[in-house]
Amino acid sequence: MNPVELVLSPRLRVTPFEPRVRELGIKSYTVYNRMVLPVNYTNTLDEYHHLCANVQLWDVSAERQVEVVGPDALALVELITPRHIAPCEVGQCVYAPLADQDGLVVNDPIILRLAEDRFWISIADSDVLLWVKGIAYGCGLNVRVFEPDVSPLAVQGPKADDLMADLLGPQVRDIRFFRFIETTIAGTDVVLARSGWSGQGGYEIYLQNSADGLALWDAVWDAGGKYNIHAGSPNLIERLETGLKSYGSDMTHDDHVLECGFERYMHLDKPAPYMAKESIEALQAQGVKRRLCHLMVAGNPLPGLRERWPVLNNGTLAGYASSCAFSPKYDANLLFAMVSVDSATPGTRLEMVVSGNHCEAIVKDDRWKS
Ligand code: THG
């Protein structure tokens, strides 16, 4: 199929790093939170190999922040997620699914606690700001909810630690996973977290003033020279190998929070009230009917997935696959698929239909084993 062009207009918001991204030869963008998200500079496979061996700089400004601040901030954040947020310390981040009163998944952000009464909800691609503002007003909560001028820049890959230690000193090595510090880089205030959308390790630098974007980019880029830094982006192959699901593709507002494999990130009996509780209890009583699972398809690389591929069990439609990449590590295609529970047990052999052709797909556990 012909490559198509994405027409850039002010409706697709620019990022503070866009001039550097363009100079470095960005070839494709996607759109995320009404902002451009750079995807490929070369191609996904070369970028995968580079990411797993070196260090990359990712413009992930499109992971926008929803700031919640004020006396009722904790109560509001508790309300929107089945995860217990009170134990999250200042300086800590947690991965937390957001779910509405029907238990449907609204987003799967990282939540950062900046102060006892101040949070950033670092969102995936959906309109969290308006939803949270509506809840705050409807519940009469004493909070301010807004989108600050904050843009994450990710430094990912096995050389990220050495790079950041050169830039800021050896103490950055002590930042624990999903913890952050406040510091300055190139004279601009940043939040520096050990996190990021890859399994390769690294940091996310939250720029707090768009006007300083290029100075920040250049400082990290220059420190990365000796580590063979490349510009990159969240990588489809790597994120499937690591098991990172993408909101909008792998789960959407059509899916219940109990169906999406969020068990580890929920505390259904948490003490604080939350909107999805009754719906979760009702579905638990009924029994969950679908489950997001890992599928492996042997053989040659499958084509790019534009529309979800049907998954069959003994000839009957069981669900749909939503993401796919050919993995060099497993020498097989890796996929996520939402399928009926009776088709979701690891080891089950299913069939998948890709542009008219049938292929065998095996359900795997969440480590791509068994
Ligand atoms: N960084 C920031 N914001 C984001 C993302 C990010 N917002 C949208 C999206 N990505 C959120 N999704 C995820 C999903 C998983 C993880 C991070 C963001 C992740 N998970 C680890 C895991 O599953 O093992 C650890 C989770 C935990 O221990 O709580 O890292 O990338 N700023």
Side-chain angles (χ1 to χ4, degrees), residues 32 60 63 65 83 93-96 107-110 112 122-125 152 177-178 195-198 204 206 243-245 264-265:
Y32 197 93
V60 285
E63 294 164 352
Q65 310 306 302
R83 182 160 188 159
C93 339
V94 292
Y95 178 47
N107 201 287
D108 70 329
I110 293 174
L112 293 79
S122 183
I123 63 173
D125 183 23
F177 186 61
F178 268 49
S195 57
W197 215 55
S198 84
E204 291 182 301
Y206 293 78
L244 297 169
K245 290 148 200 154
R264 263 184 292 161
Y265 312 113

PDB file of all heavy atoms in Angstrom, residues 32 60 63 65 83 93-96 107-110 112 122-125 152 177-178 195-198 204 206 243-245 264-265, ligand 1:
ATOM      1  N   TYR A  32      -1.343  11.723  19.141  1.00  0.00           N
ATOM      2  CA  TYR A  32      -1.569  11.196  20.492  1.00  0.00           C
ATOM      3  C   TYR A  32      -1.942  12.400  21.343  1.00  0.00           C
ATOM      4  O   TYR A  32      -1.199  13.389  21.361  1.00  0.00           O
ATOM      5  CB  TYR A  32      -0.251  10.579  20.945  1.00  0.00           C
ATOM      6  CG  TYR A  32      -0.220   9.623  22.109  1.00  0.00           C
ATOM      7  CD1 TYR A  32      -0.305   8.242  21.916  1.00  0.00           C
ATOM      8  CD2 TYR A  32      -0.024  10.076  23.410  1.00  0.00           C
ATOM      9  CE1 TYR A  32      -0.179   7.356  22.987  1.00  0.00           C
ATOM     10  CE2 TYR A  32       0.091   9.193  24.480  1.00  0.00           C
ATOM     11  CZ  TYR A  32       0.007   7.828  24.258  1.00  0.00           C
ATOM     12  OH  TYR A  32       0.137   6.954  25.308  1.00  0.00           O
ATOM     13  N   VAL A  60       8.528  12.316  23.815  1.00  0.00           N
ATOM     14  CA  VAL A  60       7.217  11.788  24.209  1.00  0.00           C
ATOM     15  C   VAL A  60       6.394  12.874  24.904  1.00  0.00           C
ATOM     16  O   VAL A  60       5.648  12.607  25.842  1.00  0.00           O
ATOM     17  CB  VAL A  60       7.333  10.511  25.069  1.00  0.00           C
ATOM     18  CG1 VAL A  60       7.706   9.308  24.215  1.00  0.00           C
ATOM     19  CG2 VAL A  60       8.348  10.680  26.198  1.00  0.00           C
ATOM     20  N   GLU A  63       2.676  12.471  25.841  1.00  0.00           N
ATOM     21  CA  GLU A  63       2.200  11.948  27.128  1.00  0.00           C
ATOM     22  C   GLU A  63       1.946  13.168  28.015  1.00  0.00           C
ATOM     23  O   GLU A  63       2.805  13.598  28.777  1.00  0.00           O
ATOM     24  CB  GLU A  63       3.251  11.009  27.735  1.00  0.00           C
ATOM     25  CG  GLU A  63       3.446   9.745  26.898  1.00  0.00           C
ATOM     26  CD  GLU A  63       4.728   8.970  27.220  1.00  0.00           C
ATOM     27  OE1 GLU A  63       5.575   9.470  27.991  1.00  0.00           O
ATOM     28  OE2 GLU A  63       4.906   7.874  26.692  1.00  0.00           O
ATOM     29  N   GLN A  65       0.357  15.817  30.800  1.00  0.00           N
ATOM     30  CA  GLN A  65       0.099  15.740  32.237  1.00  0.00           C
ATOM     31  C   GLN A  65      -1.243  16.403  32.571  1.00  0.00           C
ATOM     32  O   GLN A  65      -1.558  17.471  32.044  1.00  0.00           O
ATOM     33  CB  GLN A  65       1.201  16.475  33.020  1.00  0.00           C
ATOM     34  CG  GLN A  65       2.605  16.078  32.626  1.00  0.00           C
ATOM     35  CD  GLN A  65       2.826  14.590  32.707  1.00  0.00           C
ATOM     36  OE1 GLN A  65       2.657  13.991  33.761  1.00  0.00           O
ATOM     37  NE2 GLN A  65       3.186  13.975  31.588  1.00  0.00           N
ATOM     38  N   ARG A  83      -6.693   1.561  41.884  1.00  0.00           N
ATOM     39  CA  ARG A  83      -5.419   1.399  42.595  1.00  0.00           C
ATOM     40  C   ARG A  83      -5.426   2.261  43.853  1.00  0.00           C
ATOM     41  O   ARG A  83      -5.911   3.395  43.840  1.00  0.00           O
ATOM     42  CB  ARG A  83      -4.245   1.800  41.686  1.00  0.00           C
ATOM     43  CG  ARG A  83      -2.911   1.598  42.394  1.00  0.00           C
ATOM     44  CD  ARG A  83      -1.728   1.511  41.457  1.00  0.00           C
ATOM     45  NE  ARG A  83      -0.556   1.123  42.245  1.00  0.00           N
ATOM     46  CZ  ARG A  83       0.542   0.577  41.768  1.00  0.00           C
ATOM     47  NH1 ARG A  83       0.654   0.345  40.477  1.00  0.00           N
ATOM     48  NH2 ARG A  83       1.546   0.247  42.561  1.00  0.00           N
ATOM     49  N   CYS A  93       6.159   7.332  41.637  1.00  0.00           N
ATOM     50  CA  CYS A  93       5.156   7.217  40.576  1.00  0.00           C
ATOM     51  C   CYS A  93       4.508   5.841  40.678  1.00  0.00           C
ATOM     52  O   CYS A  93       5.160   4.891  41.115  1.00  0.00           O
ATOM     53  CB  CYS A  93       5.739   7.315  39.175  1.00  0.00           C
ATOM     54  SG  CYS A  93       7.337   8.082  38.969  1.00  0.00           S
ATOM     55  N   VAL A  94       3.268   5.748  40.247  1.00  0.00           N
ATOM     56  CA  VAL A  94       2.620   4.437  40.158  1.00  0.00           C
ATOM     57  C   VAL A  94       1.878   4.336  38.831  1.00  0.00           C
ATOM     58  O   VAL A  94       1.382   5.329  38.309  1.00  0.00           O
ATOM     59  CB  VAL A  94       1.624   4.184  41.320  1.00  0.00           C
ATOM     60  CG1 VAL A  94       2.356   4.056  42.646  1.00  0.00           C
ATOM     61  CG2 VAL A  94       0.541   5.247  41.383  1.00  0.00           C
ATOM     62  N   TYR A  95       1.850   3.133  38.313  1.00  0.00           N
ATOM     63  CA  TYR A  95       1.074   2.842  37.104  1.00  0.00           C
ATOM     64  C   TYR A  95      -0.324   2.472  37.570  1.00  0.00           C
ATOM     65  O   TYR A  95      -0.480   1.594  38.424  1.00  0.00           O
ATOM     66  CB  TYR A  95       1.736   1.687  36.358  1.00  0.00           C
ATOM     67  CG  TYR A  95       1.041   1.218  35.109  1.00  0.00           C
ATOM     68  CD1 TYR A  95       0.598   2.131  34.149  1.00  0.00           C
ATOM     69  CD2 TYR A  95       0.849  -0.132  34.858  1.00  0.00           C
ATOM     70  CE1 TYR A  95      -0.025   1.700  32.986  1.00  0.00           C
ATOM     71  CE2 TYR A  95       0.236  -0.576  33.689  1.00  0.00           C
ATOM     72  CZ  TYR A  95      -0.200   0.337  32.767  1.00  0.00           C
ATOM     73  OH  TYR A  95      -0.812  -0.092  31.613  1.00  0.00           O
ATOM     74  N   ALA A  96      -1.346   3.162  37.065  1.00  0.00           N
ATOM     75  CA  ALA A  96      -2.693   2.990  37.605  1.00  0.00           C
ATOM     76  C   ALA A  96      -3.742   3.088  36.506  1.00  0.00           C
ATOM     77  O   ALA A  96      -3.857   4.126  35.850  1.00  0.00           O
ATOM     78  CB  ALA A  96      -2.962   4.057  38.663  1.00  0.00           C
ATOM     79  N   ASN A 107      -8.147   5.250  30.722  1.00  0.00           N
ATOM     80  CA  ASN A 107      -6.744   5.537  30.402  1.00  0.00           C
ATOM     81  C   ASN A 107      -5.903   4.644  31.299  1.00  0.00           C
ATOM     82  O   ASN A 107      -6.420   4.015  32.220  1.00  0.00           O
ATOM     83  CB  ASN A 107      -6.447   7.029  30.666  1.00  0.00           C
ATOM     84  CG  ASN A 107      -5.232   7.558  29.916  1.00  0.00           C
ATOM     85  OD1 ASN A 107      -4.106   7.245  30.252  1.00  0.00           O
ATOM     86  ND2 ASN A 107      -5.460   8.382  28.889  1.00  0.00           N
ATOM     87  N   ASP A 108      -4.608   4.572  31.021  1.00  0.00           N
ATOM     88  CA  ASP A 108      -3.708   3.808  31.909  1.00  0.00           C
ATOM     89  C   ASP A 108      -2.437   4.619  32.176  1.00  0.00           C
ATOM     90  O   ASP A 108      -1.350   4.270  31.736  1.00  0.00           O
ATOM     91  CB  ASP A 108      -3.387   2.423  31.323  1.00  0.00           C
ATOM     92  CG  ASP A 108      -2.500   2.484  30.087  1.00  0.00           C
ATOM     93  OD1 ASP A 108      -2.585   3.482  29.337  1.00  0.00           O
ATOM     94  OD2 ASP A 108      -1.695   1.544  29.882  1.00  0.00           O
ATOM     95  N   PRO A 109      -2.577   5.714  32.923  1.00  0.00           N
ATOM     96  CA  PRO A 109      -1.443   6.621  33.123  1.00  0.00           C
ATOM     97  C   PRO A 109      -0.459   6.144  34.179  1.00  0.00           C
ATOM     98  O   PRO A 109      -0.722   5.215  34.940  1.00  0.00           O
ATOM     99  CB  PRO A 109      -2.129   7.893  33.630  1.00  0.00           C
ATOM    100  CG  PRO A 109      -3.275   7.357  34.445  1.00  0.00           C
ATOM    101  CD  PRO A 109      -3.776   6.167  33.647  1.00  0.00           C
ATOM    102  N   ILE A 110       0.676   6.847  34.196  1.00  0.00           N
ATOM    103  CA  ILE A 110       1.542   6.861  35.362  1.00  0.00           C
ATOM    104  C   ILE A 110       1.106   8.061  36.198  1.00  0.00           C
ATOM    105  O   ILE A 110       0.906   9.150  35.650  1.00  0.00           O
ATOM    106  CB  ILE A 110       3.015   7.014  34.942  1.00  0.00           C
ATOM    107  CG1 ILE A 110       3.483   5.761  34.187  1.00  0.00           C
ATOM    108  CG2 ILE A 110       3.896   7.278  36.141  1.00  0.00           C
ATOM    109  CD1 ILE A 110       4.884   5.902  33.626  1.00  0.00           C
ATOM    110  N   LEU A 112       2.205  10.590  39.210  1.00  0.00           N
ATOM    111  CA  LEU A 112       3.348  11.059  40.005  1.00  0.00           C
ATOM    112  C   LEU A 112       2.818  11.868  41.182  1.00  0.00           C
ATOM    113  O   LEU A 112       1.956  12.744  40.997  1.00  0.00           O
ATOM    114  CB  LEU A 112       4.266  11.976  39.186  1.00  0.00           C
ATOM    115  CG  LEU A 112       5.048  11.380  38.010  1.00  0.00           C
ATOM    116  CD1 LEU A 112       4.148  11.228  36.778  1.00  0.00           C
ATOM    117  CD2 LEU A 112       6.231  12.283  37.651  1.00  0.00           C
ATOM    118  N   SER A 122       0.077  11.277  34.171  1.00  0.00           N
ATOM    119  CA  SER A 122       0.819  11.283  32.904  1.00  0.00           C
ATOM    120  C   SER A 122       0.127  10.324  31.949  1.00  0.00           C
ATOM    121  O   SER A 122       0.319   9.113  32.001  1.00  0.00           O
ATOM    122  CB  SER A 122       2.271  10.856  33.147  1.00  0.00           C
ATOM    123  OG  SER A 122       3.002  10.938  31.946  1.00  0.00           O
ATOM    124  N   ILE A 123      -0.674  10.897  31.052  1.00  0.00           N
ATOM    125  CA  ILE A 123      -1.708  10.095  30.390  1.00  0.00           C
ATOM    126  C   ILE A 123      -1.282   9.455  29.075  1.00  0.00           C
ATOM    127  O   ILE A 123      -0.442   9.964  28.344  1.00  0.00           O
ATOM    128  CB  ILE A 123      -2.996  10.929  30.157  1.00  0.00           C
ATOM    129  CG1 ILE A 123      -2.747  12.113  29.225  1.00  0.00           C
ATOM    130  CG2 ILE A 123      -3.559  11.379  31.491  1.00  0.00           C
ATOM    131  CD1 ILE A 123      -4.033  12.868  28.832  1.00  0.00           C
ATOM    132  N   ALA A 124      -1.941   8.323  28.787  1.00  0.00           N
ATOM    133  CA  ALA A 124      -1.943   7.729  27.454  1.00  0.00           C
ATOM    134  C   ALA A 124      -2.968   8.513  26.615  1.00  0.00           C
ATOM    135  O   ALA A 124      -3.460   9.563  27.040  1.00  0.00           O
ATOM    136  CB  ALA A 124      -2.303   6.252  27.555  1.00  0.00           C
ATOM    137  N   ASP A 125      -3.301   7.995  25.447  1.00  0.00           N
ATOM    138  CA  ASP A 125      -4.068   8.766  24.469  1.00  0.00           C
ATOM    139  C   ASP A 125      -5.581   8.707  24.714  1.00  0.00           C
ATOM    140  O   ASP A 125      -6.274   7.892  24.109  1.00  0.00           O
ATOM    141  CB  ASP A 125      -3.729   8.238  23.067  1.00  0.00           C
ATOM    142  CG  ASP A 125      -4.421   9.028  21.978  1.00  0.00           C
ATOM    143  OD1 ASP A 125      -4.797  10.193  22.213  1.00  0.00           O
ATOM    144  OD2 ASP A 125      -4.590   8.475  20.875  1.00  0.00           O
ATOM    145  N   PRO A 152       7.356  15.363  28.670  1.00  0.00           N
ATOM    146  CA  PRO A 152       8.376  14.356  28.964  1.00  0.00           C
ATOM    147  C   PRO A 152       9.310  14.103  27.774  1.00  0.00           C
ATOM    148  O   PRO A 152       8.879  14.072  26.623  1.00  0.00           O
ATOM    149  CB  PRO A 152       7.571  13.091  29.274  1.00  0.00           C
ATOM    150  CG  PRO A 152       6.162  13.541  29.479  1.00  0.00           C
ATOM    151  CD  PRO A 152       6.000  14.779  28.660  1.00  0.00           C
ATOM    152  N   PHE A 177      13.565   2.605  40.659  1.00  0.00           N
ATOM    153  CA  PHE A 177      12.537   2.455  39.632  1.00  0.00           C
ATOM    154  C   PHE A 177      11.215   3.079  40.104  1.00  0.00           C
ATOM    155  O   PHE A 177      10.752   2.846  41.220  1.00  0.00           O
ATOM    156  CB  PHE A 177      12.332   0.968  39.327  1.00  0.00           C
ATOM    157  CG  PHE A 177      11.401   0.703  38.173  1.00  0.00           C
ATOM    158  CD1 PHE A 177      11.682   1.157  36.894  1.00  0.00           C
ATOM    159  CD2 PHE A 177      10.232  -0.009  38.378  1.00  0.00           C
ATOM    160  CE1 PHE A 177      10.818   0.899  35.828  1.00  0.00           C
ATOM    161  CE2 PHE A 177       9.363  -0.277  37.318  1.00  0.00           C
ATOM    162  CZ  PHE A 177       9.660   0.192  36.047  1.00  0.00           C
ATOM    163  N   PHE A 178      10.637   3.905  39.256  1.00  0.00           N
ATOM    164  CA  PHE A 178       9.373   4.590  39.531  1.00  0.00           C
ATOM    165  C   PHE A 178       9.480   5.581  40.704  1.00  0.00           C
ATOM    166  O   PHE A 178       8.521   5.827  41.429  1.00  0.00           O
ATOM    167  CB  PHE A 178       8.212   3.614  39.704  1.00  0.00           C
ATOM    168  CG  PHE A 178       7.481   3.366  38.391  1.00  0.00           C
ATOM    169  CD1 PHE A 178       8.172   3.048  37.230  1.00  0.00           C
ATOM    170  CD2 PHE A 178       6.090   3.470  38.311  1.00  0.00           C
ATOM    171  CE1 PHE A 178       7.509   2.843  36.015  1.00  0.00           C
ATOM    172  CE2 PHE A 178       5.413   3.265  37.099  1.00  0.00           C
ATOM    173  CZ  PHE A 178       6.130   2.947  35.952  1.00  0.00           C
ATOM    174  N   SER A 195      11.884   5.767  34.741  1.00  0.00           N
ATOM    175  CA  SER A 195      10.677   5.165  34.167  1.00  0.00           C
ATOM    176  C   SER A 195      10.807   5.255  32.654  1.00  0.00           C
ATOM    177  O   SER A 195      11.798   5.773  32.135  1.00  0.00           O
ATOM    178  CB  SER A 195       9.426   5.924  34.635  1.00  0.00           C
ATOM    179  OG  SER A 195       9.508   7.305  34.285  1.00  0.00           O
ATOM    180  N   GLY A 196       9.811   4.765  31.972  1.00  0.00           N
ATOM    181  CA  GLY A 196       9.821   4.857  30.514  1.00  0.00           C
ATOM    182  C   GLY A 196       9.182   3.647  29.871  1.00  0.00           C
ATOM    183  O   GLY A 196       9.132   2.579  30.470  1.00  0.00           O
ATOM    184  N   TRP A 197       8.738   3.850  28.643  1.00  0.00           N
ATOM    185  CA  TRP A 197       7.919   2.833  27.981  1.00  0.00           C
ATOM    186  C   TRP A 197       8.775   1.846  27.206  1.00  0.00           C
ATOM    187  O   TRP A 197       8.598   1.626  26.023  1.00  0.00           O
ATOM    188  CB  TRP A 197       6.893   3.521  27.080  1.00  0.00           C
ATOM    189  CG  TRP A 197       5.587   2.807  27.038  1.00  0.00           C
ATOM    190  CD1 TRP A 197       4.805   2.458  28.108  1.00  0.00           C
ATOM    191  CD2 TRP A 197       4.909   2.351  25.869  1.00  0.00           C
ATOM    192  NE1 TRP A 197       3.673   1.807  27.664  1.00  0.00           N
ATOM    193  CE2 TRP A 197       3.716   1.732  26.303  1.00  0.00           C
ATOM    194  CE3 TRP A 197       5.184   2.405  24.513  1.00  0.00           C
ATOM    195  CZ2 TRP A 197       2.798   1.175  25.418  1.00  0.00           C
ATOM    196  CZ3 TRP A 197       4.267   1.854  23.635  1.00  0.00           C
ATOM    197  CH2 TRP A 197       3.083   1.244  24.084  1.00  0.00           C
ATOM    198  N   SER A 198       9.741   1.252  27.933  1.00  0.00           N
ATOM    199  CA  SER A 198      10.533   0.169  27.345  1.00  0.00           C
ATOM    200  C   SER A 198      11.012  -0.682  28.502  1.00  0.00           C
ATOM    201  O   SER A 198      10.960  -0.266  29.667  1.00  0.00           O
ATOM    202  CB  SER A 198      11.726   0.704  26.551  1.00  0.00           C
ATOM    203  OG  SER A 198      12.830   0.959  27.394  1.00  0.00           O
ATOM    204  N   GLU A 204      12.885   9.382  32.478  1.00  0.00           N
ATOM    205  CA  GLU A 204      12.029  10.344  31.805  1.00  0.00           C
ATOM    206  C   GLU A 204      12.274  11.697  32.454  1.00  0.00           C
ATOM    207  O   GLU A 204      12.235  11.828  33.684  1.00  0.00           O
ATOM    208  CB  GLU A 204      10.566   9.937  31.892  1.00  0.00           C
ATOM    209  CG  GLU A 204      10.299   8.691  31.053  1.00  0.00           C
ATOM    210  CD  GLU A 204       8.848   8.268  31.050  1.00  0.00           C
ATOM    211  OE1 GLU A 204       8.307   8.001  32.139  1.00  0.00           O
ATOM    212  OE2 GLU A 204       8.260   8.186  29.975  1.00  0.00           O
ATOM    213  N   TYR A 206      10.932  15.376  32.752  1.00  0.00           N
ATOM    214  CA  TYR A 206       9.739  16.185  32.515  1.00  0.00           C
ATOM    215  C   TYR A 206      10.143  17.659  32.453  1.00  0.00           C
ATOM    216  O   TYR A 206      10.435  18.280  33.473  1.00  0.00           O
ATOM    217  CB  TYR A 206       8.719  15.977  33.640  1.00  0.00           C
ATOM    218  CG  TYR A 206       8.100  14.583  33.717  1.00  0.00           C
ATOM    219  CD1 TYR A 206       8.810  13.504  34.269  1.00  0.00           C
ATOM    220  CD2 TYR A 206       6.804  14.353  33.276  1.00  0.00           C
ATOM    221  CE1 TYR A 206       8.237  12.246  34.353  1.00  0.00           C
ATOM    222  CE2 TYR A 206       6.215  13.096  33.369  1.00  0.00           C
ATOM    223  CZ  TYR A 206       6.935  12.049  33.909  1.00  0.00           C
ATOM    224  OH  TYR A 206       6.362  10.806  34.005  1.00  0.00           O
ATOM    225  N   GLY A 243       5.916  -6.541  26.916  1.00  0.00           N
ATOM    226  CA  GLY A 243       4.538  -6.748  27.366  1.00  0.00           C
ATOM    227  C   GLY A 243       3.812  -5.469  27.739  1.00  0.00           C
ATOM    228  O   GLY A 243       2.900  -5.489  28.568  1.00  0.00           O
ATOM    229  N   LEU A 244       4.215  -4.336  27.153  1.00  0.00           N
ATOM    230  CA  LEU A 244       3.557  -3.059  27.441  1.00  0.00           C
ATOM    231  C   LEU A 244       2.371  -2.869  26.498  1.00  0.00           C
ATOM    232  O   LEU A 244       2.534  -2.869  25.279  1.00  0.00           O
ATOM    233  CB  LEU A 244       4.553  -1.901  27.289  1.00  0.00           C
ATOM    234  CG  LEU A 244       5.736  -1.932  28.256  1.00  0.00           C
ATOM    235  CD1 LEU A 244       6.795  -0.919  27.856  1.00  0.00           C
ATOM    236  CD2 LEU A 244       5.261  -1.668  29.684  1.00  0.00           C
ATOM    237  N   LYS A 245       1.183  -2.698  27.087  1.00  0.00           N
ATOM    238  CA  LYS A 245      -0.026  -2.541  26.270  1.00  0.00           C
ATOM    239  C   LYS A 245      -0.298  -1.075  26.001  1.00  0.00           C
ATOM    240  O   LYS A 245      -0.001  -0.216  26.831  1.00  0.00           O
ATOM    241  CB  LYS A 245      -1.212  -3.169  26.995  1.00  0.00           C
ATOM    242  CG  LYS A 245      -1.129  -4.674  27.036  1.00  0.00           C
ATOM    243  CD  LYS A 245      -1.746  -5.223  28.299  1.00  0.00           C
ATOM    244  CE  LYS A 245      -1.227  -6.625  28.544  1.00  0.00           C
ATOM    245  NZ  LYS A 245      -1.278  -6.945  29.974  1.00  0.00           N
ATOM    246  N   ARG A 264      -2.293  -6.613  38.940  1.00  0.00           N
ATOM    247  CA  ARG A 264      -1.170  -6.182  39.784  1.00  0.00           C
ATOM    248  C   ARG A 264      -1.252  -4.699  40.151  1.00  0.00           C
ATOM    249  O   ARG A 264      -0.551  -4.238  41.046  1.00  0.00           O
ATOM    250  CB  ARG A 264       0.155  -6.429  39.039  1.00  0.00           C
ATOM    251  CG  ARG A 264       0.836  -7.718  39.435  1.00  0.00           C
ATOM    252  CD  ARG A 264       2.176  -7.854  38.729  1.00  0.00           C
ATOM    253  NE  ARG A 264       2.000  -8.043  37.295  1.00  0.00           N
ATOM    254  CZ  ARG A 264       2.960  -7.832  36.378  1.00  0.00           C
ATOM    255  NH1 ARG A 264       4.141  -7.390  36.746  1.00  0.00           N
ATOM    256  NH2 ARG A 264       2.735  -8.056  35.093  1.00  0.00           N
ATOM    257  N   TYR A 265      -2.046  -3.948  39.416  1.00  0.00           N
ATOM    258  CA  TYR A 265      -2.078  -2.493  39.609  1.00  0.00           C
ATOM    259  C   TYR A 265      -3.404  -2.031  40.203  1.00  0.00           C
ATOM    260  O   TYR A 265      -3.771  -0.868  40.088  1.00  0.00           O
ATOM    261  CB  TYR A 265      -1.802  -1.790  38.269  1.00  0.00           C
ATOM    262  CG  TYR A 265      -0.604  -2.375  37.557  1.00  0.00           C
ATOM    263  CD1 TYR A 265      -0.746  -3.068  36.363  1.00  0.00           C
ATOM    264  CD2 TYR A 265       0.673  -2.270  38.115  1.00  0.00           C
ATOM    265  CE1 TYR A 265       0.354  -3.636  35.722  1.00  0.00           C
ATOM    266  CE2 TYR A 265       1.781  -2.834  37.486  1.00  0.00           C
ATOM    267  CZ  TYR A 265       1.611  -3.510  36.300  1.00  0.00           C
ATOM    268  OH  TYR A 265       2.700  -4.075  35.679  1.00  0.00           O
TER     269      TYR A 265
HETATM  270  N1  THG B   1       5.688   7.525  30.499  1.00  0.00           N
HETATM  271  C1  THG B   1       4.954   8.548  30.956  1.00  0.00           C
HETATM  272  N2  THG B   1       3.650   8.620  30.767  1.00  0.00           N
HETATM  273  C2  THG B   1       3.016   7.645  30.083  1.00  0.00           C
HETATM  274  C3  THG B   1       3.732   6.544  29.591  1.00  0.00           C
HETATM  275  C4  THG B   1       5.115   6.496  29.820  1.00  0.00           C
HETATM  276  N3  THG B   1       1.691   7.709  29.884  1.00  0.00           N
HETATM  277  C5  THG B   1       1.053   6.817  28.967  1.00  0.00           C
HETATM  278  C6  THG B   1       1.648   5.452  28.971  1.00  0.00           C
HETATM  279  N4  THG B   1       3.104   5.532  28.905  1.00  0.00           N
HETATM  280  C7  THG B   1       1.269   4.729  30.221  1.00  0.00           C
HETATM  281  N5  THG B   1       1.479   3.307  30.124  1.00  0.00           N
HETATM  282  C8  THG B   1       2.502   2.661  30.810  1.00  0.00           C
HETATM  283  C9  THG B   1       2.426   1.300  30.933  1.00  0.00           C
HETATM  284  C10 THG B   1       3.394   0.598  31.660  1.00  0.00           C
HETATM  285  C11 THG B   1       4.450   1.270  32.207  1.00  0.00           C
HETATM  286  C12 THG B   1       4.550   2.621  32.026  1.00  0.00           C
HETATM  287  C13 THG B   1       3.565   3.326  31.355  1.00  0.00           C
HETATM  288  C14 THG B   1       5.472   0.552  33.009  1.00  0.00           C
HETATM  289  N6  THG B   1       5.114  -0.553  33.605  1.00  0.00           N
HETATM  290  C15 THG B   1       6.007  -1.384  34.373  1.00  0.00           C
HETATM  291  C16 THG B   1       5.528  -2.821  34.269  1.00  0.00           C
HETATM  292  O1  THG B   1       4.409  -3.023  33.812  1.00  0.00           O
HETATM  293  O2  THG B   1       6.272  -3.692  34.622  1.00  0.00           O
HETATM  294  C17 THG B   1       6.086  -0.982  35.839  1.00  0.00           C
HETATM  295  C18 THG B   1       4.773  -0.701  36.470  1.00  0.00           C
HETATM  296  C19 THG B   1       4.849  -0.523  37.972  1.00  0.00           C
HETATM  297  O3  THG B   1       5.740  -1.084  38.625  1.00  0.00           O
HETATM  298  O4  THG B   1       3.969   0.177  38.527  1.00  0.00           O
HETATM  299  O5  THG B   1       6.616   0.970  33.136  1.00  0.00           O
HETATM  300  O6  THG B   1       5.834   5.564  29.389  1.00  0.00           O
HETATM  301  N7  THG B   1       5.565   9.524  31.634  1.00  0.00           N
END
